[in-house]
Amino acid sequence: MNHASTAAHVELAGELLRLVETRVVDPLEILLESDDQVRPIRERLRIEAEVWAAQLLGPDDALAVRTSARLIAAAFPGDGPFDPPEAWWRSAFGQAVARRVGHPGAVAVSYATAAAMLGITRQGVHDLVKRAKLVRHPDGGVTTESVRARLNQPKEQRAPSGHHPR
C-alpha cells in the first residue's frame, strides 16, 4: 500500500468529519435539543477524523480494515449487509474502503459496482474481465478481491482499459 499524499489525507479527514457529524452527531443534537452537550463531541471528532484518515491510508492493513468496519457500522447502521450506492465508491471514503477492504459486504460485485469502485465504465470492466485483469465470479459479476487488487496495483503497472472515467 502506498502512503497517501497530504491532499488525500486532508480530503478524507474532512469527508469523514462531515459524514460522522451528519449521520451521528446532528441526530444526537436534535434529540438533546442542545448544541452545548454535543460541542465537545464535535471538537473531539475533528481530531478523530484525522486519526481515522491516517489509519485508512496508512501502512497497517488490519488497522485500516478495523477502522473501515467501525466507521461503516456507525455511519451506516442497518440490519442488512452494507450495500452503498455506486456514487459512494467515488467518494474519498469509498475509495479508501475499496482499496483496503474491497466491498465489505460482498465476495462479488456487479459490473456496475466494479466500474464505480474502479472509476471506469461498465464496458471497461467487461474489457478487463476479457483480458483476465479482473476475475469473473461464477455466480455473476466480478470478485471483490480482484477489484481491490486492481486498485492497489501501481498505476504504471496497469494496462489501460481503453476507457476513461466518467
Side-chain angles (χ1 to χ4, degrees), residues 1-3 54-64 100:
M1 180 79 198
N2 295 334
H3 295 290
Q55 292 171 340
L56 290 170
L57 299 172
D60 187 334
D61 284 329
L63 180 58
R100 299 316 284 272

Side-chain angles (χ1 to χ4, degrees), residues 21-154:
E21 281 186 330
T22 301
R23 296 279 189 148
V24 178
V25 181
D26 289 351
L28 188 58
E29 183 178 342
I30 291 166
L31 288 171
L32 298 176
E33 296 182 324
S34 168
D35 181 52
D36 294 340
Q37 293 177 323
V38 297
R39 189 174 304 118
I41 296 169
R42 287 186 195 281
E43 291 168 9
R44 174 69 187 263
L45 283 175
R46 284 183 183 83
I47 296 165
E48 292 299 324
E50 295 287 339
V51 172
W52 296 328
Q55 292 171 340
L56 290 170
L57 299 172
D60 187 334
D61 284 329
L63 180 58
V65 169
R66 285 193 311 272
T67 301
S68 295
R70 288 176 42 231
L71 288 166
I72 288 169
F76 303 100
D79 294 334
F82 179 62
D83 190 21
E86 291 173 19
W88 182 81
W89 293 107
R90 291 186 281 276
S91 71
F93 184 36
Q95 282 294 291
V97 169
R99 281 188 168 77
R100 299 316 284 272
V101 179
H103 191 301
V107 174
V109 295
S110 69
Y111 281 39
T113 299
M117 291 170 79
L118 292 164
I120 61 176
T121 65
R122 274 185 275 192
Q123 184 60 49
V125 172
H126 281 281
D127 292 349
L128 290 171
V129 169
K130 241 171 141 173
R131 295 185 0 241
K133 304 291 184 182
L134 290 175
V135 178
R136 181 155 169 58
H137 191 274
D139 295 333
V142 296
T143 65
T144 300
E145 181 54 36
S146 70
V147 173
R148 191 178 77 75
R150 177 97 182 149
L151 283 167
N152 286 313
Q153 280 182 334

